[in-house]
Amino acid sequence: AQTVTQSQPEMSVQEAETVTLSCTYDTSENNYYLFWYKQPPSRQMILVIRQEAYKQQNATENRFSVNFQKAAKSFSLKISDSQLGDTAMYFCAYNFNKFYFGSGTKLNVKP
Amino acid sequence: KAGVTQTPRYLIKTRGQQVTLSCSPISGHRSVSWYQQTPGQGLQFLFEYFSETQRNKGNFPGRFSGRQFSNSRSEMNVSTLELGDSALYLCASTPLAGGRGDTQYFGPGTRLTVL
């Protein structure tokens, strides 16, 4: 069965610094998709970034980028120049036919 | 376009009661998925509906059920509520069913508290 593991329940980072959130997953499939979603306090979950497993190139979206290591089944999220608005729960998700989400990492950006 | 809407936003029930939650997807989206979110558990997939048919189902007891209407709006029902059913219930829509790689768009959720 597919599982998604986020080993960091909570992290803190100073404003303007860089932070990396970890995610590993288990699958026997080859062509799948990976996502990072952000859930700000009391607000809706929104997409941060999306990666297609058949693409070698790591996805980037402004200050957000991923380090996708297919063989290692690792999909980490790097947030550069952290801002106060980045404070949120971050969920890693795997998608083949269904979505599987990790348990989340609570990121606190400190001024 | 309006986003995914869920009603009600908050609900308090007692053990043994039943509850119905509603979700309206983004206009044009035909697939609706439901998730249960609890602290420490992340998001647990409940089920997915497309064209009024359940396409996928998670590992939840039969007390949890759902349906989808011809306008793509969806409802989920939980019967004989238990304390452990207290959670945030999220609805998400995508344009297609089992659309591999499709981004899911989430609603604000319904916070259910069971006393």
Side-chain angles (χ1 to χ4, degrees):
Chain A
Q2 285 81 3
T3 57
V4 179
T5 302
Q6 293 180 249
S7 58
Q8 306 149 315
E10 194 163 350
M11 297 184 73
S12 292
V13 63
Q14 291 295 134
E15 199 175 4
E17 292 188 346
T18 295
V19 63
T20 299
L21 281 58
S22 301
C23 173
T24 58
Y25 57 93
D26 183 33
T27 184
S28 57
E29 303 294 344
N30 193 43
N31 292 326
Y32 49 87
Y33 296 80
L34 296 163
F35 299 78
W36 278 99
Y37 280 88
K38 167 185 176 182
Q39 188 178 39
S42 303
R43 293 181 62 187
Q44 282 173 241
M45 185 112 63
I46 57 173
L47 176 71
V48 175
I49 202 164
R50 173 181 174 274
Q51 174 78 43
E52 298 159 344
Y54 59 85
K55 287 189 176 178
Q56 299 275 2
Q57 189 172 4
N58 289 323
T60 62
E61 193 71 41
N62 300 317
R63 298 181 295 106
F64 299 88
S65 62
V66 299
N67 182 6
F68 173 48
Q69 302 289 328
K70 191 172 185 179
K73 297 179 183 174
S74 170
F75 183 61
S76 60
L77 174 70
K78 186 172 84 170
I79 305 174
S80 304
D81 185 26
S82 296
Q83 300 176 359
L84 296 179
D86 295 333
T87 292
M89 281 289 289
Y90 287 82
F91 292 95
C92 176
Y94 163 96
N95 171 241
F96 185 67
N97 286 324
K98 295 191 289 188
F99 271 83
Y100 297 85
F101 285 82
S103 55
T105 295
K106 185 177 181 181
L107 178 66
N108 183 29
V109 180
K110 298 179 178 179
Chain B
K1 279 185 181 179
V4 177
T5 58
Q6 292 186 245
T7 57
R9 293 292 311 278
Y10 302 91
L11 207 48
I12 299 175
K13 292 286 188 179
T14 56
R15 279 180 298 174
Q17 288 187 309
Q18 80 166 24
V19 65
T20 299
L21 312 181
S22 180
C23 171
S24 293
I26 291 172
S27 177
H29 284 196
R30 298 173 63 191
S31 169
V32 173
S33 296
W34 289 89
Y35 295 88
Q36 181 193 66
Q37 183 180 8
T38 54
Q41 291 286 327
L43 279 75
Q44 304 288 315
F45 173 74
L46 281 155
F47 26 65
E48 179 202 5
Y49 286 88
F50 177 79
S51 290
E52 303 176 65
T53 301
Q54 188 180 88
R55 295 294 292 261
N56 280 302
K57 189 176 188 304
N59 296 323
F60 278 81
R63 300 185 297 106
F64 291 82
S65 63
R67 60 177 176 168
Q68 186 180 35
F69 302 95
S70 58
N71 62 357
S72 294
R73 188 177 71 85
S74 177
E75 289 182 346
M76 67 163 280
N77 185 278
V78 188
S79 62
T80 319
L81 283 166
E82 300 176 359
L83 295 179
D85 297 334
S86 293
L88 181 67
Y89 290 87
L90 294 171
C91 165
S93 75
T94 58
L96 301 172
R100 204 173 294 169
D102 276 348
T103 296
Q104 293 204 314
Y105 295 86
F106 285 84
T110 294
R111 173 74 63 185
L112 172 64
T113 301
V114 182
L115 303 176

